[in-house]
Amino acid sequence: MKTDMSLEQAARLALQCLDLTSLNEGDTPATIEALCRRAVGAEGRGPVAAVCVWPRFVAQARAALPAGIQVAAVANFPDGSLDLPRVLAEIRDIASAGAQEVDVVLPYAALQQGQAGEVAEFLAEVRHATRPLTLKVIIESGVLKTQDLIKEATRLALMAGADFVKTSTGKTPVSATPEAARAMLSEIQASGLGHAGFKASGGIRSVADARGYLQQVADTLGTDALQPRRMRFGASGLLDDIEAVLAGQASQAVPSAY
């Protein structure tokens, strides 16, 4: 299903679906204040879908943002250990601080070691603890590498009730790739879950790259999925290129994955 979207159309869609993210060790309240200012949409171009921050900044972000922009925070991040008490405590803190969304790392190393049952139980507990918040499960596709493991991780997340399956933490050498997206989207389609979404995250800096992922979503899930309830981008630098394209300037970023 080819959409033949222009770069400007892709930029507008990517903006609507953007989880504007800052997950750097050196983040400060000033960092988050600046991030939230950008999130509300300079010069009337429109707000992003969400702002994604460390749990300690959730309350600040929620107070700074209008209700229409969601606040997301990460748990079990970025290591993805099987430490259930730790992740449940983090989820409680995130929810009580006022977030609407949680991005949790699937225990990908455990999955690589054949512990699929343990991973499934972990995800079931996480899903129970996160309701009614939106749950995005990060599978760390660049570490899993193989199509079989990427698909298995996607299935486990969807079976547990994840609202989104997300490619990467952005903290490993390989983040989002078209190949990983293809495998994940095929599992979402095969699941028959009409609400389940896909989040491309890590290393996406150009509108041209974003357009490639938007096209994959349209091809696999249909053009109706090109909206924030089914499609997200996790990025910090992508907004720079979106703003350049929407201002009528040449794209400022060099495409990588596409």
Side-chain angles (χ1 to χ4, degrees):
M1 181 189 300
K2 290 297 179 184
T3 62
D4 296 320
M5 71 181 72
S6 68
L7 208 60
E8 181 181 348
Q9 289 172 320
R12 293 193 184 280
L13 275 172
L15 179 63
Q16 295 169 15
C17 297
L18 181 61
D19 287 3
L20 187 60
T21 301
S22 190
L23 294 169
N24 300 310
E25 291 299 330
D27 284 350
T28 65
T31 307
I32 305 309
E33 181 183 356
L35 188 76
C36 292
R37 282 201 304 269
R38 292 202 73 192
V40 297
E43 300 180 25
R45 293 193 181 98
V48 300
V51 164
C52 185
V53 297
W54 293 108
R56 65 184 181 273
F57 295 121
V58 166
Q60 178 189 350
R62 184 65 279 160
L65 294 168
I69 297 179
Q70 306 294 288
V71 173
V74 291
N76 204 31
F77 186 95
D79 53 285
S81 76
L82 266 174
D83 186 347
L84 187 59
R86 168 197 161 193
V87 74
L88 294 180
E90 290 173 340
I91 289 167
R92 284 193 297 272
D93 290 345
I94 290 166
S96 64
Q100 291 75 46
E101 304 183 352
V102 184
D103 292 32
V104 174
V105 185
L106 179 144
Y108 54 91
L111 183 61
Q112 288 177 307
Q113 294 161 11
Q115 297 175 269
E118 290 89 338
V119 171
E121 292 173 9
F122 175 93
L123 292 174
E125 293 288 345
V126 163
R127 174 70 279 188
H128 178 73
T130 53
R131 292 196 188 279
L133 279 61
T134 296
L135 173 62
K136 309 187 199 93
V137 174
I138 308 167
I139 69 165
E140 204 67 283
S141 57
V143 176
L144 294 179
K145 295 181 181 178
T146 71
Q147 294 282 294
D148 286 347
L149 277 175
I150 290 169
K151 288 184 175 184
E152 184 178 10
T154 302
R155 285 195 298 272
L156 289 171
L158 293 173
M159 286 189 294
D163 298 296
F164 284 85
V165 182
K166 174 178 171 181
T167 57
S168 320
T169 61
K171 303 295 185 181
T172 58
V174 177
S175 292
T177 66
E179 295 75 21
R182 191 171 301 115
M184 295 167 70
L185 286 165
S186 70
E187 289 300 321
I188 294 172
Q189 181 188 43
S191 75
L193 297 170
H195 67 278
F198 168 75
K199 180 173 174 179
S201 181
I204 301 167
R205 297 181 178 86
S206 75
V207 173
D209 281 349
R211 180 169 60 179
Y213 290 107
L214 289 164
Q215 185 66 65
Q216 279 194 292
V217 170
D219 290 346
T220 309
L221 305 181
T223 54
D224 288 348
L226 297 178
Q227 41 92 1
R229 288 190 297 274
R230 301 284 310 277
M231 174 69 198
R232 296 288 183 91
F233 291 100
S236 55
L238 179 58
L239 184 56
D240 293 336
D241 204 43
I242 289 172
E243 290 178 336
V245 170
L246 293 181
Q249 302 167 6
S251 174
Q252 302 297 303
V254 177
S256 56
Y258 283 89

